[in-house]
């Protein structure tokens, strides 16, 4: 028995050995950091769970558990984890493998990948708070007027740094804080809160005892006999929720806003709540409206059906298939069939798009087919909305995601299909900050980790993708006929050398281009004018000395923006006021050179006064719903000329666009980049594809100094 007792004690101590967790911190650190796990947290701490840790003396951060072991760190004393935020891990094993691959392949730290991948709404934020010292005595202390003001506020509540700035009316609050700490008047502490908060609605219902007892309900009416407004509230509630017929209806109640719309007295409702006749309660709801699938799968034409079957056949033997479909060939309909095929097989699907602008139109089409199964994920969503999509995927609410490059970080656990639309697009590349990943290549790795199939779609595939397909490494399927009866547009080249020589130019517009736009409007059709440079003018140049104003940080020319009257750097965001003269020689002969979308819009309003002109670029689409509003107005015909940058060049489908104008093809071709010829071809082809997408043949007008 003594031997058994000793063995049991050994087993007990072995089982109770200290647990350590290696965590990924959202910081550019070359290694993971090890923390000690308390006994109470041992069961909750699993790989992929979010934990709160202290790093350094003052920083409190959200980290992700990478692995768990019993080996203490050799070079430092491990601190304890402060808190576990997840009952179910927020990050799965596929994501951890993908994070490792991105870190290694794109030569960056694991923490930088985590920072990019995890929505900020899932990271806790720490904010310094100020409270009155519990043993503070003001007697005999010399306090300034501002110090007395702060202490008076602190007697009723704690304050944040921002609160203090508002109270004092100055940002320089640190001397005052230091002084109050030295006088033992205040204490600083860190208040930790999770950034994500669910969306709730306030509802109203009858007290359950009253709703379930007709006699009590009649007694309430008798009590309120002389209180007309309160009786009115009760009657209008019973109209909406007939508890006489079915008391169970009362459990869900109605929203407070619905009841207030009945022109009832708010104070009467509040009195009824106070007297416990009604009760208020909150219900958590989704930020995304429920959308039921309304439509069946779109019917494919014979050519589309052939392409669809060829893609499925290629994917039987290969993991990746390049789908080359010309503009207007109906690639989206084929994508829908491929996604449906994947979902019916019990798998998840991901459709990547290069631009947020594309999601607006395509989401409407796909929502009609997939309804609530589909989630949308992009950077214009709020933190809370992105967290809801993340959690919706974890909980199995969504089985199909449509989104931009950040969608590759989502917690897929059974991915069967990845579609990368417009795979040639430069928008898939993240330049700053790290990780500087390419979403197309990373999505292919994501598909490989899940043993999923990948389809790359484009009218103008990138050279490397086309090479892989031609060499047989990937499958290749081509669809070279437009959908229905629509035909490819006619291309019209305008030689600007000849136009200038014959004095047929109005500023930077040829008469031929302006005539094409006028004809388009007279025929009640729409036009797109493409210039891949935003702002009013690329730069200001001095006519006397030739000086061009440059950014003090980046040494690139500052772009002139008429709206806001400022010079702006499109690399770092630096802004300056417009100079009244040349900063180098003092000359007042400073003029704009070249034209951006803002200047084109401005001049078109002068040259075509009957045109309803709108601009679509980064400056006009900064707000969340700006894309949708501009596209909706163009779809409805409220705008007939749309001026824009590359965000109008792909994926959009407008039936009444008959004319597309390429304002300056030379700037794209002669851009200082080794891919400029390839990209110029892709961009011109893509934007040309917006013309004549129905029965009537479209026209593309290209202004250039080099028609050859």
């Amino acid at each position: 028995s003594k031997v058994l007792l000793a063995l049991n004690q050994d087993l007990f101590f072995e089982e109770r050995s200290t647990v350590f967790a290696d965590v990924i911190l959202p910081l550019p650190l070359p290694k993971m950091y090890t923390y000690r796990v308390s006994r109470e947290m041992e069961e909750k701490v699993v790989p992929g769970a979010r934990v709160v840790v202290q790093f350094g003396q003052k920083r409190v951060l959200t980290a992700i558990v990478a692995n768990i072991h019993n080996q203490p760190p050799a070079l430092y004393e491990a601190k304890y984890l402060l808190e576990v935020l997840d009952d179910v891990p927020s990050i799965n094993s596929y994501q951890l493998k993908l994070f490792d691959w991105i870190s290694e392949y794109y030569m960056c730290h694991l923490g930088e990948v985590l920072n990019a991948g995890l929505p900020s709404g899932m990271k806790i934020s720490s904010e310094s708070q100020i409270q009155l010292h519990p043993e503070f005595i003001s007697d005999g202390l010399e306090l300034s007027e501002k110090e007395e003001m702060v202490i008076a506020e602190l007697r009723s509540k704690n304050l944040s740094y921002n609160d203090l700035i508002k109270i004092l009316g100055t940002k320089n609050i640190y001397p005052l804080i230091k002084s109050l700490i030295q006088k033992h008047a205040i204490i600083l502490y860190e208040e930790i809160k999770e950034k994500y908060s669910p969306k709730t609605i306030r509802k109203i219902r009858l007290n359950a005892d009253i709703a379930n007892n007709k006699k009590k309900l009649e007694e309430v009416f008798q009590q309120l006999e002389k209180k007309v407004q309160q009786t009115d509230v009760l009657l209008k509630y019973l109209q909406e929720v007939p508890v006489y017929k079915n008391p169970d209806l009362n459990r869900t109640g109605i929203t407070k806003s619905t009841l207030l719309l009945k022109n009832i007295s708010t104070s009467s409702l509040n009195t009824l709540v106070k007297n416990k006749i009604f009760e208020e309660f909150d219900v958590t709801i989704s930020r995304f409206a429920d959308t039921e699938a309304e439509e069946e799968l779109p019917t494919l034409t014979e050519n589309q059906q052939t392409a669809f079957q060829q893609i499925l056949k290629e994917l039987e033997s290969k993991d990746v298939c390049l789908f080359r479909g010309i503009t207007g060939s109906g690639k989206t309909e084929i994508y829908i069939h491929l996604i449906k095929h994947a979902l019916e097989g019990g798998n998840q699907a991901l459709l990547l798009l290069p631009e947020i602008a594309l999601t607006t139109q395509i989401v409407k089409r796909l929502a009609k087919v997939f309804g609530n199964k589909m989630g949308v994920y992009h950077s214009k969503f709020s933190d809370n909305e992105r967290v809801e999509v993340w959690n919706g995927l974890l909980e199995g609410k969504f089985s199909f995601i449509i989104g931009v490059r950040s969608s590759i970080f989502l917690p897929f656990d059974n991915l069967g299909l990845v579609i990368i639309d417009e795979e040639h697009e430069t928008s898939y590349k993240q330049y700053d900050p790290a990780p500087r990943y390419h979403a197309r290549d990373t999505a292919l790795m994501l598909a490989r980790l899940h043993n999923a199939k990948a389809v790359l779609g484009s009218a103008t595939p990138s050279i490397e993708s086309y090479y892989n397909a031609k060499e047989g490494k990937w499958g290749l399927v081509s669809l070279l006929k437009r959908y229905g009866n629509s035909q490819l547009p006619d291309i019209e080249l305008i030689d600007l050398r000849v136009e200038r020589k014959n004095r047929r130019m109005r500023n930077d517009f040829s008469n031929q281009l302006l005539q094409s736009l006028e004809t388009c409007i007279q025929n009640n059709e729409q036009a797109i004018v493409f210039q891949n440079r935003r702002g009013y003018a690329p730069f200001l140049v001095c006519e006397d000395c030739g000086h061009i104003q440059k950014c003090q940080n980046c040494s690139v020319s500052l772009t002139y923006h008429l709206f806001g009257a400022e010079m702006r750097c499109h690399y770092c965001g630096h802004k300056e006021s417009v100079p009244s003269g040349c900063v180098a020689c003092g000359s007042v002969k400073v003029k704009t050179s070249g034209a951006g979308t803002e200047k084109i819009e401005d001049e078109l309003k002068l040259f075509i006064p009957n045109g309803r002109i709108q601009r679509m670029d980064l400056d006009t689409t900064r707000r969340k719903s700006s894309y949708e509003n501009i596209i909706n107005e163009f779809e409805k015909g409220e705008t007939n000329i749309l001026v824009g940058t590359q965000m109008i060049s792909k994926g959009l489908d407008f039936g009444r666009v008959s004319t597309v104008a390429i304002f300056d093809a030379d700037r794209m071709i002669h851009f200082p980049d080794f891919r400029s010829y390839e990209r110029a071809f892709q961009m011109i082809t893509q934007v040309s594809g917006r013309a004549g997408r129905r029965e009537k043949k479209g026209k593309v007008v290209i202004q250039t100094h080099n028609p050859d």
Side-chain angles (χ1 to χ4, degrees):
S1 63
K2 285 180 181 177
V3 171
L4 285 170
L5 183 63
L7 282 170
N8 284 335
Q9 283 177 338
D10 287 344
L11 284 168
F12 175 79
F13 285 117
E14 190 178 329
E15 285 172 5
R16 299 289 288 174
S17 59
T18 307
V19 176
F20 294 90
D22 293 336
V23 303
I24 307 168
L25 291 159
L27 299 171
L29 301 171
K31 292 181 181 179
M32 288 188 282
Y33 213 74
T34 304
Y35 285 85
R36 189 184 294 265
V37 182
S38 65
R39 300 289 185 208
E40 302 79 45
M41 293 185 191
E42 279 181 16
E43 290 183 9
K44 293 181 181 178
V45 174
V46 292
R50 291 178 302 147
V51 291
V52 180
V53 298
Q54 184 178 344
F55 187 72
Q57 292 298 314
K58 296 179 181 177
R59 300 186 78 175
V60 175
L61 301 166
T62 303
I64 297 293
V65 177
N67 51 66
I68 298 157
H69 54 82
N70 301 109
Q71 191 66 40
L75 301 175
Y76 56 90
E77 184 70 29
K79 296 175 184 175
Y80 277 99
L81 296 177
L82 299 180
E83 188 60 71
V84 183
L85 294 176
D86 293 326
D87 293 326
V88 177
S90 291
I91 302 279
N92 62 37
S93 58
Y94 294 107
Q95 289 170 288
L96 289 172
K97 287 176 187 172
L98 185 69
F99 289 1
D100 275 333
W101 180 83
I102 292 172
S103 170
E104 186 180 338
Y105 189 76
Y106 291 105
M107 294 186 286
C108 61
H109 298 302
L110 202 52
E112 292 173 313
V113 183
L114 175 65
N115 212 22
L118 199 66
S120 55
M122 294 182 75
K123 302 166 192 169
I124 61 102
S125 62
S126 65
E127 184 183 9
S128 291
Q129 297 281 316
I130 302 156
Q131 86 175 51
L132 192 66
H133 197 296
E135 296 173 10
F136 171 66
I137 300 169
S138 59
D139 293 348
L141 267 182
E142 286 187 15
L143 298 171
S144 68
E145 186 180 337
K146 287 186 175 179
E147 286 175 339
E148 285 180 344
M149 194 190 308
V150 170
I151 286 168
E153 288 286 337
L154 287 170
R155 290 193 189 280
S156 58
K157 61 180 179 179
N158 296 345
L159 301 173
S160 69
Y161 274 29
N162 289 332
D163 293 336
L164 213 55
I165 289 167
K166 288 175 187 173
I167 291 165
L168 299 173
T170 175
K171 289 187 177 180
N172 189 21
I173 61 172
Y174 299 102
L176 183 135
I177 290 172
K178 187 178 177 182
S179 170
L180 287 172
I181 290 171
Q182 287 171 348
K183 291 172 183 176
H184 302 288
I186 61 171
I187 295 173
L188 295 186
Y189 69 98
E190 294 288 303
E191 180 183 73
I192 302 168
K193 57 178 184 280
E194 245 190 294
K195 284 187 180 176
Y196 172 68
S197 55
K199 185 177 182 180
T200 59
I201 53 168
R202 180 57 59 93
K203 298 189 91 174
I204 296 286
R205 64 186 170 202
L206 263 176
N207 185 305
D209 291 339
I210 298 169
N212 295 326
N213 190 322
K214 289 182 182 178
K215 191 176 178 181
K216 282 191 177 180
L217 186 57
E218 287 167 6
E219 286 173 4
V220 169
F221 272 114
Q222 287 171 6
Q223 290 170 19
L224 303 177
E225 193 173 355
K226 293 181 181 178
K227 297 172 181 176
V228 179
Q229 289 185 324
Q230 291 183 30
T231 304
D232 185 45
V233 174
L234 188 53
L235 285 170
K236 284 179 176 173
Y237 176 82
L238 293 173
Q239 284 174 0
E240 293 291 320
V241 186
V243 296
Y244 276 118
K245 294 180 182 177
N246 185 359
D248 289 339
L249 294 173
N250 185 62
R251 194 179 296 114
T252 53
I254 58 170
T255 60
K256 189 174 181 180
S257 57
T258 303
L259 199 54
L260 292 174
L261 285 172
K262 299 283 182 183
N263 295 320
I264 63 165
S265 163
T266 308
S267 61
S268 297
L269 176 59
N270 292 337
T271 304
L272 290 169
V273 171
K274 187 179 177 181
N275 294 335
K276 297 187 178 178
I277 294 170
F278 279 107
E279 57 187 33
E280 284 186 285
F281 61 103
D282 289 327
V283 176
T284 301
I285 60 165
S286 171
R287 285 180 165 81
F288 302 98
D290 277 354
T291 312
E292 293 298 328
E294 300 169 5
E295 295 180 4
E296 296 297 319
L297 287 178
T299 305
L300 299 181
T301 64
E302 190 178 336
N303 289 322
Q304 286 176 320
Q305 185 64 36
T306 302
F308 172 63
Q309 293 299 335
Q310 284 177 341
I311 291 169
L312 292 180
K313 191 174 180 183
E314 289 286 352
L315 291 176
E316 287 175 7
S317 56
K318 294 183 174 72
D319 291 331
V320 184
C321 177
L322 178 64
F323 176 33
R324 182 187 167 216
I326 63 167
T327 55
S329 59
K331 293 190 289 294
T332 304
E333 284 80 8
I334 295 172
Y335 294 158
I336 291 171
H337 278 259
L338 288 168
I339 292 161
K340 191 78 172 176
H341 184 267
L343 298 186
E344 286 173 350
N347 295 313
Q348 296 166 328
L350 169 64
L351 171 58
L352 279 182
L353 299 173
E355 296 270 4
I356 297 165
L358 297 185
T359 62
T360 303
Q361 223 182 13
I362 201 168
V363 161
K364 288 181 182 176
R365 295 173 69 183
L366 294 174
K368 288 177 182 176
V369 178
F370 297 105
N372 293 329
K373 290 181 182 178
M374 183 183 84
V376 186
Y377 194 81
H378 59 63
S379 59
K380 288 288 179 187
F381 275 3
S382 69
D383 287 339
N384 286 340
E385 285 170 324
R386 278 184 280 172
V387 171
E388 284 204 14
V389 176
W390 186 288
N391 290 337
L393 197 58
L394 276 175
E395 294 159 8
K397 181 184 175 184
F398 302 124
S399 51
F400 162 46
I401 297 291
I402 177 171
V404 292
R405 64 178 181 235
S406 54
S407 307
I408 58 167
F409 294 111
L410 285 166
F412 295 100
D413 58 5
N414 185 28
L415 195 60
L417 176 69
V418 178
I419 298 174
I420 304 146
D421 191 28
E422 309 293 0
E423 65 84 25
H424 65 278
E425 263 301 316
T426 55
S427 308
Y428 282 125
K429 180 80 170 100
Q430 161 82 9
Y431 287 99
D432 277 308
R436 293 168 180 84
Y437 67 99
H438 198 300
R440 177 197 61 203
D441 301 340
T442 309
L444 292 178
M445 176 52 66
L446 176 69
R448 186 185 294 181
L449 290 171
H450 284 265
N451 291 319
K453 302 295 182 181
V455 175
L456 282 69
S458 176
T460 53
S462 61
I463 285 175
E464 60 269 34
S465 294
Y466 201 59
Y467 177 80
N468 280 333
K470 281 291 187 183
E471 289 293 299
K473 185 179 175 182
W474 297 349
L476 176 62
V477 175
S478 297
L479 181 57
L480 305 177
K481 191 175 185 303
R482 275 194 156 184
Y483 182 84
N485 300 319
S486 59
Q487 298 172 292
L488 286 170
D490 292 327
I491 308 289
E492 197 174 294
L493 293 170
I494 298 172
D495 191 337
L496 294 179
R497 295 169 301 181
V498 174
E499 296 296 303
R500 288 189 196 283
K501 191 176 180 181
N502 295 327
R503 299 181 181 279
R504 292 199 294 261
M505 295 290 292
R506 295 174 72 183
N507 291 356
D508 293 313
F509 290 89
S510 63
N511 284 343
Q512 202 174 335
L513 172 57
L514 291 173
Q515 185 58 51
S516 296
L517 295 175
E518 282 277 13
T519 305
C520 174
I521 290 169
Q522 286 166 11
N523 294 337
N524 199 28
E525 293 165 349
Q526 291 175 306
I528 286 174
V529 179
F530 174 74
Q531 168 70 330
N532 203 28
R533 178 176 280 277
R534 63 191 170 97
Y536 189 82
F539 49 85
L540 294 180
V541 60
C542 175
E543 290 183 312
D544 287 338
C545 73
H547 174 75
I548 295 169
Q549 200 164 341
K550 294 185 177 179
C551 174
Q552 62 189 26
N553 305 318
C554 310
S555 298
V556 296
S557 58
L558 292 171
T559 302
Y560 171 49
H561 285 252
L562 183 67
F563 182 76
E566 62 189 12
M567 307 294 292
R568 198 182 299 167
C569 175
H570 286 176
Y571 284 85
C572 71
H574 171 73
K575 295 175 185 177
E576 292 181 14
S577 57
V578 179
S580 55
C582 176
V583 295
C585 70
S587 170
V588 292
K589 293 182 179 178
V590 178
K591 67 168 189 175
T592 59
S593 178
T597 48
E598 192 181 5
K599 186 177 182 183
I600 291 169
E601 178 195 24
D602 207 38
E603 292 187 345
L604 278 175
K605 285 176 180 176
L606 293 173
F607 298 145
I608 308 175
N610 59 331
R612 298 186 301 277
I613 300 159
Q614 201 161 24
R615 173 164 54 97
M616 187 171 172
D617 57 25
L618 191 64
D619 297 315
T620 61
T621 55
R622 291 188 187 278
R623 292 188 178 182
K624 181 179 170 182
S625 55
S626 305
Y627 293 101
E628 200 167 341
N629 293 340
I630 294 169
I631 287 167
N632 285 343
E633 285 172 24
F634 197 61
E635 269 184 330
K636 291 173 187 173
E638 293 170 14
T639 307
N640 50 25
I641 298 178
L642 184 62
V643 179
T645 54
Q646 63 177 355
M647 61 174 64
I648 64 168
S649 69
K650 60 247 174 199
L652 301 175
D653 184 11
F654 302 112
R656 290 169 55 200
V657 174
S658 64
T659 304
V660 166
I662 313 287
F663 183 78
D664 184 4
D666 301 339
R667 177 172 287 282
M668 290 186 282
I669 293 168
H670 300 298
F671 191 77
D673 185 329
F674 75 99
R675 286 185 185 266
S676 59
Y677 280 45
E678 177 189 355
R679 286 180 180 163
F681 166 72
Q682 288 167 341
M683 220 172 284
I684 291 169
T685 306
Q686 291 287 342
V687 77
S688 299
R690 303 312 109 206
R693 293 174 72 91
R694 300 295 183 268
E695 284 73 20
K696 187 172 180 180
K697 198 172 188 179
K699 179 169 77 168
V700 180
V701 182
I702 301 175
Q703 290 194 150
T704 174
H705 288 90
N706 186 8
D708 295 333

